[in-house]
Amino acid sequence: MSEIRNNWSKQEISALFELPFSDLLFQAQSIHRESFDPNQVQVSTLLSIKTGACPEDCGYCSQSSKNDAEVERERLLPLDEVMEQATVAKDNGASRFCMGAAWRNPTDKNLDKVIDMIIAVKGIGLETCVTLGMLTHDQSQRLKEAGLDYYNHNIDTSPEYYGDVITTRTFDDRLDTLQHVRDAGINVCSGGIVGMGEKQTDRVSFLQQLANLPKHPESVPINMLVQVEGTPLHGVEEIEPLQFIRTIAVARIIMPESVVRLSAGRTEMSDETQALCFLAGANSIFYGDRLLTTDNPDENHDQQLFKKLGINKKHVFSSEQIKDTACA
Ligand code: SAM
Ligand code: DTB
Ligand code: SF4
């Protein structure tokens, strides 16, 4: 079994990135098979429970009030609408329901409402994940008591590039929330975005930060920037697909037991690129034709892709039994 390490140097990570492609993918796939079924992919469905008018200035995000993207603002959705969507997600075969809010941080009053959602979504047998911005120690404890399974909070990029992308909070603010979530005993979901005009050294440093956290995140979403008109990063040079696949492979190698999610950006990817991402060790996706405010491949396309690749969806049943079901 591969050793779990939290002391990766930049040189070691760079050397992995520079391996011949076949050697890198062989290593990633070999490590992948030590901990996972290579033909099984976990699927989560996303819902934006509060959209737009966010006070943060993240340069990639359609929901920042500082950007000029056209998104329809919505206040916090009522519980019945959330449950309608969660039921559809469950019927479509998702095992986890992820609820995202465009907040810098939740107020305690809003947290009460999100807690009601978590309890209700868990009640229909889905795993729950929420991403609400920065949390205090006490808010994290309350989410744990509500039974939350995962908290998503991305470090997004390297500490060196962070200030070029976001100025309204610091990289260390992100780490503080991750620590509160970890201390509360909630599974950590943390990753970031590539294709934001960062250098190769930033990708190395970004992955180093994740792998050298005191404990690896259980879930590591790797997003390819979805370029949204009206955001500062619209028009930035795109990342080459092979470089994206290498990023997934390196994440797999240095965090051997984490679930690596091939996250935003799949609409812009060919089936072949996605297949190589799975070969490189990605074993989770967002499923359903919407991410938060942008498009995701529709379920039919993904069903066909899974069928062509012989991939099974990982299901979680209400009995907490984990069972594999071949994708029809
Ligand atoms: N407001 C909360 C926060 O920032 O943590 C939660 C929602 S925010 C939309 C969640 C994550 O979505 C961000 O951290 C970022 O990694 C990702 N994201 C946002 N816009 C994106 C885009 N255009 N392309 C790819 N990923 C994006
Ligand atoms: C994550 O890493 N990616 C998801 C989820 N966590 C919340 C969000 C992707 C957002 C893509 C742009 C949008 O749809 O607004
Ligand atoms: Fe707000 Fe999150 Fe978008 Fe940043 S990424 S602008 S914090 S919703």
Side-chain angles (χ1 to χ4, degrees), residues 294-307:
T294 65
D295 290 341
N296 198 40
D298 69 42
E299 283 101 344
N300 281 342
H301 187 98
D302 282 341
Q303 292 268 7
Q304 290 305 316
L305 179 61
F306 277 18
K307 196 171 175 186

Side-chain angles (χ1 to χ4, degrees), residues 46 61-63 98 100 131 152 154 189 191-192 221-223 226 228 261 263-264 286 291-295:
L46 263 175
C61 187
S62 62
Q63 304 197 67
C98 304
T131 180
N152 168 241
N154 291 339
C189 173
I222 306 290
N223 296 274
V226 180
V228 181
R261 180 174 303 130
S263 202
F286 285 122
L291 290 166
L292 291 173
T293 66
T294 65
D295 290 341

